[in-house]
Amino acid sequence: MTIRNTLQDHGQRYRPRMASLKKSEKVLLEMQDPKTGLKSQPQRLVITTIPHAITGEDIIAWLADRFQVDTQEARSFGSMLVALGYIYPLQDHKRLVIKPDASLYRFQTPYFWPTQQLPVEDTDYAIYLAKRNIRKKGILEMHEQEHYNRLHKWMNHKWDFIVMQAKEQYRAAKERKKPDRVVFDCQERAYWVVHRPPPGTVSAMDYGLDRQIDPNSDEAVTPDFYERIMIFTQQSIMRPRVKSSVSIGALVKYCATYNNHDPFLSNCLPSNPWITDDVTFWTLNMPCVEIPTKMRVERWTFSFAELLSDTRGRDDFRLFLKKEFSGENLAFWEACEDLKWGKAASIKEKAEHIYKTFLARGAPRWINIDGKTMEVTVKGLKHPHRYVLDPAQTHIYMLMKKDSYGRYQKSPVFKDTVKKAICPDEHHFSGAQLEQNYKKRRPSLSPIILRQMEQEQRAKMAANIDITQLCLFTTPVPHLAVYSGFTDYPTATASPSLTFLAHTPACPSPISVALDSTSVSERQVEEAEGDGNPAARAPVGGNVSKSRMALSLRRLLKGGCTPATMFASLSPKCHLAAGTSSRIQPISPDQPSQAPPRRIGNFFQIKVDIPPECRIYPIESEDEEEESRAAFRGGVGAKEIICPWESLTTQNGTG
Amino acid sequence: MPLINNKVGDDGTVGKDKALVDGKALVDSLIKVVACYRVLATCVGGCTDSLQLRDELRQTREKAQRLAMAIRSHLTSHLRDKSLPEEQRKEMEILWVGFSSSLELLHVDMCKVFNMGDIFSLSKKETRVQNGLQGGGSEVAARALSVPDLNQPQSTSLPAEFESHERSTMEKDISQLDHMIDDMEMKVNVLRWMVEPHGPQYPDPLSSTDSASLLSVDEEQPGHQPLHQRRKLFVLLLLVAVVLVGATLSICIVFFS
């Protein structure tokens, strides 16, 4: 007959059985045998002697003999017994390991043996801490103090009881003789070191997740029970099956590939931090380290997913793509990941941003996905949710994997990285050094700081993008299609006007108007400056156009913009300025919209239908957006971007 | 007449106070018995485990159960009394919480002792764990049973008989306790989060220095033990030498003056 679990386990959690406990108990009992068990010696203290102390080396020797294993394994086994709480050390009681020397240990009394049926109660812990406080005030350590305060808060209603019980237990224990009192104190202390370990140590009683159902209980046989069995069997039949040769082959391949990279299965260079407490391995493999290790670089060659999941690998890949001018693929993929894993509140704006940056026609970092996927994605963006960009993301991922990944592995960037990768030497720590390492352990950087660093890096990267990558691969704007002359990029010369004049013999008015306006406005400006304020209108117009001019020129000279953009920016404004200034030849307002949709079909192998109404200009610099937006809205009556959203976005306001 | 009225009023409140005081005494003794039971239970399975210890455990347990029954009837009757004034009710609730917690502790200890009885049967003497204890728990049991000394005649029954009988009784008792706990929760509705204890967060130290604590501190550095002893010897010798020198000097002074 089993006695059901005692106190009402309101969480209804069932602890997975730790088979090691029953087995350890058997071993412990064998150790007690007077003939074949361990020999004990008395422990001499100042005032008294306490019997039944055993040395570490004796334990290890007995275990090695009994189980016919070597000393190293016997030592690990002994450490496990100590960690579980069946044997406790008399010196250095907080470190639950077996030392193979003359340090003393003692067997724990069966009352304090670990069991799983009876969970370790916080009430008992509170009583124990209170008892220690009774014995000597202020003896509690930091973490114990914290526990005590927390328990006082959560078990406040029981506190009278706890204090009383602590006092009574203390008095009852005092009835005994001194050596027994000492032993009892040591036993209790050892018990709580196992079950409430000090911070920085791991409890051997960690067993993972609790189970939802009690495996010992009998399940009631109801129609529901049979229903469940039926559903389970039906699903098993329908499950797609793989030949075992295939699946086993995959497992074997995985194991063979990753065998050398597993820190526990094979040697970890320089040394395994979990074993030797030396963190060089972790510092060498930090996410944003300059020079990666050879093993890490080797892992990047296993699969594309490995490369992308490792931050350093991704950085390397990004560098390679930058050199190849296809960085937008990776940027798009990262943006999709960000959308998928980010906050729900920001989904809408992130989706908008991604559309504007990557997917819209004429977007600055336009990615090349097939028409059907684009259609599906754009339709989905009307009501954006987390996974709306999944098809597009998968397409780009496969593109990168099939195309760029292979080239990356043959590229000089990667070869350079491989050459520079370091291979650290193995550490050989002596016993004393290991002890020192243990003492020198420190907690790592707080996750808050790590997250801040990550965010800073991301912001820095985002800032970098605008300057270098922008406008490199813009879709050509239709009515500026006449400029077939942008073959070489992006070196904007100081005198764009001359270049373009040469190329456009039969060019219609926009260009000449723009040029005229440039020269005219410049002259205007000069005049205005010279005269002071000749007329109200002219300077206004002049100022307006001057500022725009200056800005456009500035952008041009920055080198980040194509000449086309400058003119693009100028032309629509011209007819605004035309309203104010009489000197500039007015363009008919409809002209831009009527500009022939010259198909510049083979520009950069982009085959995209650009509708004539499309007036998306490449992203301009941020400073002008505000003033231009208002101005532009008044002017342009043509249809704006075909975009899933209702509202006009800043995209329409050309710089 | 006013006197009579007062008397009646006083009787009422005195009666209630008496109930409270009684209840408190009962709960205190239950707490004491439970504490003693726990201390005794830690000896089970060790080298001092014997028929006597088990007998003492049995007696302590029986006393605890008697107390539990008494308290249960006492407290349930009072807490179900609707006319109880507020502060008294609060006190009663504190007692109730103490009572239920003691019962829970007792239940756990009984289960543990029962399980240990499986492994460490009295008949098999070899399977005792050498846990370093030397004395039995007679003094603790004496404290539990509130007798100055526990002079028990040796039990005449055989260990095996005793054990089997004990096991069956224990099983019954444990399930009975289980039911009692369940029952109590059903009958009396005490809102635990409303109970506010009186006592301080830290119990007052009962003794400022305790030799046991010194002992456990000493255990920490056994390597230093011989050093301490050597140091002590050295200091002692030094003192003796100084005393001798002083004595010689004084004798010289006396001699030569």
Side-chain angles (χ1 to χ4, degrees):
Chain A
M1 182 213 144
T2 56
I3 294 186
R4 297 296 297 279
N5 195 355
T6 59
L7 308 171
Q8 282 80 5
D9 192 357
H10 296 288
Q12 313 270 295
R13 288 183 300 267
Y14 301 96
R15 293 156 193 87
R17 283 175 291 285
M18 286 174 70
S20 51
L21 295 182
K22 276 274 169 281
K23 297 180 189 176
S24 311
E25 279 174 18
K26 285 208 191 73
V27 173
L28 252 282
L29 291 175
E30 274 182 40
M31 281 189 192
Q32 310 304 322
D33 195 314
K35 290 192 281 290
T36 58
L38 277 168
K39 300 285 171 276
S40 59
Q41 63 198 56
Q43 180 199 14
R44 278 185 182 69
L45 293 177
V46 177
I47 305 176
T48 176
T49 3
I50 303 179
H52 305 146
I54 35 183
T55 54
E57 47 198 10
D58 277 349
I59 298 176
I60 294 176
W62 186 89
L63 285 171
D65 186 49
R66 162 73 180 78
F67 292 105
Q68 298 293 309
V69 290
D70 62 336
T71 330
Q72 185 61 35
E73 179 151 357
R75 192 171 161 183
S76 319
F77 189 6
S79 292
M80 189 194 78
L81 286 178
V82 177
L84 284 174
Y86 288 101
I87 303 176
Y88 60 94
L90 297 175
Q91 304 123 6
D92 198 6
H93 65 275
K94 285 196 214 150
R95 269 197 85 189
L96 300 176
V97 286
I98 285 235
K99 294 186 207 168
D101 51 15
S103 36
L104 295 174
Y105 296 81
R106 193 173 283 131
F107 294 113
Q108 180 68 281
T109 187
Y111 180 82
F112 286 131
W113 279 359
T115 58
Q116 287 221 293
Q117 305 149 299
L118 305 166
V120 176
E121 290 288 327
D122 275 332
T123 320
D124 293 337
Y125 190 45
I127 295 173
Y128 164 67
L129 290 177
K131 256 200 291 190
R132 284 198 40 202
N133 215 51
I134 290 175
R135 190 185 312 142
K136 190 166 145 197
K137 209 167 175 77
I139 202 178
L140 292 180
E141 294 196 20
M142 190 59 129
H143 71 277
E144 289 171 339
Q145 191 72 51
E146 282 175 25
H147 277 300
Y148 194 69
N149 295 339
R150 183 181 55 94
L151 289 170
H152 176 72
K153 182 176 164 202
W154 287 105
M155 296 203 300
N156 205 3
H157 60 279
K158 279 194 198 171
W159 212 252
D160 275 349
F161 164 72
I162 285 173
V163 166
M164 276 222 62
Q165 176 72 212
K167 284 194 185 146
E168 287 300 330
Q169 283 189 11
Y170 180 74
R171 287 190 191 119
K174 254 189 144 179
E175 297 283 334
R176 303 164 90 169
K177 300 192 188 52
K178 217 162 272 182
D180 288 347
R181 250 191 292 168
V182 172
V183 169
F184 179 66
D185 287 338
C186 292
Q187 285 171 350
E188 216 182 0
R189 184 180 62 180
Y191 177 72
W192 288 112
V193 167
V194 170
H195 291 280
R196 294 282 185 270
T201 50
V202 182
S203 167
M205 291 301 288
D206 277 342
Y207 51 75
L209 296 173
D210 290 325
R211 296 162 89 147
Q212 292 299 319
I213 46 167
D214 182 7
N216 282 334
S217 66
D218 298 319
E219 201 176 344
V221 176
T222 59
D224 273 343
F225 174 68
Y226 288 116
E227 176 98 27
R228 271 210 339 265
I229 294 181
M230 285 201 302
I231 294 175
F232 178 72
T233 349
Q234 280 171 346
Q235 285 180 339
S236 313
I237 296 170
M238 289 194 302
R239 202 179 300 144
R241 282 181 287 279
V242 178
K243 270 168 84 167
S244 54
S245 57
V246 172
S247 53
I248 292 174
L251 279 172
V252 167
K253 183 161 172 240
Y254 182 87
C255 291
T257 329
Y258 284 92
N259 189 27
N260 292 337
H261 294 263
D262 191 300
F264 287 98
L265 289 180
S266 71
N267 225 357
C268 168
L269 299 170
S271 62
N272 193 332
W274 292 279
I275 298 178
T276 59
D277 294 316
D278 173 78
V279 295
T280 322
F281 177 68
W282 286 333
T283 45
L284 286 178
N285 283 314
M286 294 244 290
C288 40
V289 77
E290 266 297 310
I291 303 175
T293 56
K294 271 208 172 21
M295 297 297 269
R296 197 174 180 182
V297 176
E298 197 186 318
R299 261 210 303 280
W300 298 346
T301 61
F302 289 162
S303 76
F304 187 52
E306 273 281 350
L307 176 67
L308 279 191
S309 59
D310 188 0
T311 322
R312 183 66 183 75
R314 211 191 280 187
D315 287 342
D316 223 36
F317 190 56
R318 198 177 297 127
L319 188 67
F320 164 72
L321 288 179
K322 200 160 98 163
K323 295 216 156 85
E324 279 214 340
F325 303 117
S326 46
E328 70 273 4
N329 287 337
L330 186 60
F332 175 70
W333 185 85
E334 284 184 329
C336 291
E337 286 285 289
D338 189 31
L339 179 74
K340 259 206 297 207
W341 302 107
K343 292 192 178 154
S346 60
I347 286 179
K348 199 151 186 297
E349 56 170 285
K350 276 189 193 159
E352 270 184 41
H353 179 76
I354 291 177
Y355 178 81
K356 280 188 291 184
T357 323
F358 296 102
L359 296 171
R361 300 182 191 116
R365 309 188 75 191
W366 190 78
I367 54 165
N368 188 7
I369 49 181
D370 63 303
K372 185 129 195 323
T373 319
M374 180 66 100
E375 207 182 292
V376 166
T377 311
V378 168
K379 207 156 62 148
L381 279 171
K382 284 201 185 69
H383 302 284
H385 56 91
R386 231 173 251 284
Y387 304 105
V388 65
L389 295 167
D390 249 10
Q393 189 185 6
T394 317
H395 182 96
I396 290 291
Y397 180 86
M398 294 316 253
L399 194 70
M400 286 198 288
K401 178 169 163 182
K402 289 186 182 135
D403 190 26
S404 314
Y405 182 51
R407 275 182 287 136
Y408 166 71
Q409 290 187 301
K410 302 191 187 85
S411 71
V413 173
F414 181 64
K415 291 205 166 76
D416 195 37
T417 314
V418 169
K419 214 166 12 142
K420 279 202 289 197
I422 52 175
C423 190
D425 296 320
E426 202 182 330
H427 282 150
H428 294 285
F429 288 122
S430 68
Q433 278 173 317
L434 285 175
E435 289 282 330
Q436 259 203 329
N437 287 347
Y438 176 79
K439 291 202 179 79
K440 272 200 301 196
R441 293 181 312 172
R442 293 282 170 266
S444 55
L445 279 180
S446 138
I448 302 174
I449 297 180
L450 284 174
R451 203 173 302 148
Q452 277 175 354
M453 280 174 27
E454 221 178 288
Q455 279 174 346
E456 279 168 26
Q457 258 208 329
R458 223 180 288 163
K460 208 170 26 153
M461 260 190 3
N464 270 339
I465 297 292
D466 289 349
I467 299 168
T468 53
Q469 294 270 340
L470 212 50
C471 308
L472 278 178
F473 265 140
T474 63
T475 53
V477 183
H479 66 282
L480 297 176
V482 291
Y483 303 132
S484 48
F486 27 79
T487 39
D488 20 54
Y489 261 135
T491 54
T493 59
S495 53
S497 40
L498 292 172
T499 329
F500 283 93
L501 269 177
H503 280 284
T504 59
C507 173
S509 15
I511 306 102
S512 49
V513 164
L515 285 172
D516 278 351
S517 68
T518 319
S519 38
V520 160
S521 321
E522 273 176 357
R523 266 181 276 127
Q524 246 189 339
V525 162
E526 283 161 11
E527 279 172 14
E529 280 175 3
D531 297 348
N533 272 336
R537 282 188 309 163
V540 166
N543 282 343
V544 166
S545 39
K546 170 199 172 185
S547 52
R548 289 212 189 99
M549 209 73 57
L551 277 166
S552 315
L553 280 175
R554 218 189 318 142
R555 263 184 292 111
L556 192 59
L557 293 171
K558 255 199 304 194
C561 276
T562 65
T565 64
M566 179 188 135
F567 291 102
S569 62
L570 288 176
S571 51
K573 287 179 210 130
C574 282
H575 66 266
L576 282 171
T580 53
S581 159
S582 52
R583 305 220 199 155
I584 301 172
Q585 195 180 342
I587 328 167
S588 60
D590 309 296
Q591 184 142 27
S593 51
Q594 283 170 10
R598 307 233 183 138
R599 295 278 230 102
I600 5 87
N602 291 330
F603 250 129
F604 321 120
Q605 292 98 34
I606 298 170
K607 294 190 194 318
V608 165
D609 262 356
I610 303 171
E613 319 76 58
C614 182
R615 308 201 53 170
I616 302 166
Y617 300 104
I619 278 192
E620 310 306 342
S621 60
E622 306 66 39
D623 38 19
E624 308 185 290
E625 276 183 352
E626 290 75 69
E627 54 171 1
S628 60
R629 202 187 316 169
F632 194 56
R633 280 232 184 103
V636 178
K639 214 162 52 148
E640 255 68 47
I641 305 177
I642 299 169
C643 135
W645 302 272
E646 302 299 317
S647 58
L648 291 177
T649 59
T650 54
Q651 184 60 21
N652 301 329
T654 65
Chain B
M1 240 108 34
L3 262 166
I4 300 169
N5 279 346
N6 277 347
K7 240 196 231 170
V8 165
D10 275 349
D11 267 348
T13 47
V14 159
K16 292 275 164 45
D17 279 339
K18 189 167 170 339
L20 208 60
V21 163
D22 276 348
K24 188 144 185 16
L26 282 172
V27 171
D28 285 351
S29 56
L30 177 65
I31 290 178
K32 183 179 72 166
V33 172
V34 166
C36 295
Y37 190 77
R38 178 164 278 211
V39 172
L40 282 175
T42 57
C43 300
V44 172
C47 42
T48 52
D49 195 3
S50 63
L51 188 58
Q52 197 184 4
L53 179 73
R54 305 288 177 103
D55 205 32
E56 285 160 5
L57 273 171
R58 181 185 57 82
Q59 289 177 338
T60 320
R61 178 172 55 83
E62 281 167 5
K63 168 129 197 227
Q65 278 169 316
R66 283 197 300 273
L67 276 171
M69 293 294 181
I71 298 177
R72 180 174 82 142
S73 43
H74 183 93
L75 281 182
T76 2
S77 62
H78 278 99
L79 278 172
R80 289 177 78 161
D81 176 14
K82 302 279 189 229
S83 65
L84 204 61
E86 201 48 44
E87 332 77 59
Q88 296 228 344
R89 178 162 281 272
K90 280 205 162 57
E91 297 296 318
M92 284 281 175
E93 284 184 351
I94 294 176
L95 287 180
W96 180 263
V97 168
F99 173 52
S100 59
S101 315
S102 316
L103 277 192
E104 284 171 3
L105 284 191
L106 184 65
H107 190 178
V108 169
D109 284 343
M110 276 165 62
C111 286
K112 276 197 179 167
V113 170
F114 184 78
N115 291 333
M116 286 195 286
D118 269 341
I119 310 173
F120 300 100
S121 155
L122 278 175
S123 43
K124 286 186 274 175
K125 285 262 177 198
E126 320 74 65
T127 58
R128 293 283 181 273
V129 177
Q130 300 166 6
N131 55 4
L133 288 175
Q134 291 162 317
S138 316
E139 306 89 7
V140 182
R143 185 188 163 80
L145 302 170
S146 308
V147 290
D149 201 3
L150 204 64
N151 265 333
Q152 290 252 336
Q154 279 298 319
S155 184
T156 47
S157 61
L158 287 164
E161 262 178 38
F162 173 84
E163 251 198 285
S164 55
H165 182 252
E166 174 70 6
R167 278 179 73 69
S168 54
T169 336
M170 246 193 136
E171 255 175 88
K172 269 197 301 216
D173 289 338
I174 291 178
S175 54
Q176 199 184 34
L177 199 60
D178 220 354
H179 285 132
M180 195 193 317
I181 296 176
D182 282 335
D183 222 22
M184 275 164 42
E185 288 302 314
M186 293 298 138
K187 285 203 183 133
V188 178
N189 186 19
V190 168
L191 303 172
R192 288 202 161 68
W193 57 90
M194 299 287 287
V195 174
E196 282 177 30
H198 296 308
Q201 182 176 353
Y202 292 97
D204 302 317
L206 291 175
S207 69
S208 50
T209 54
D210 186 3
S211 48
S213 70
L214 291 175
L215 269 175
S216 52
V217 166
D218 275 351
E219 271 192 37
E220 285 298 315
Q221 306 119 2
H224 293 236
Q225 285 298 327
L227 203 64
H228 276 159
Q229 285 172 347
R230 252 186 256 139
R231 260 206 212 125
K232 279 195 183 121
L233 273 173
F234 178 67
V235 165
L236 210 65
L237 280 173
L238 199 64
L239 271 173
V240 165
V242 164
V243 162
L244 273 176
V245 164
T248 342
L249 276 175
S250 55
I251 291 172
C252 289
I253 290 170
V254 163
F255 231 134
F256 290 118
S257 64

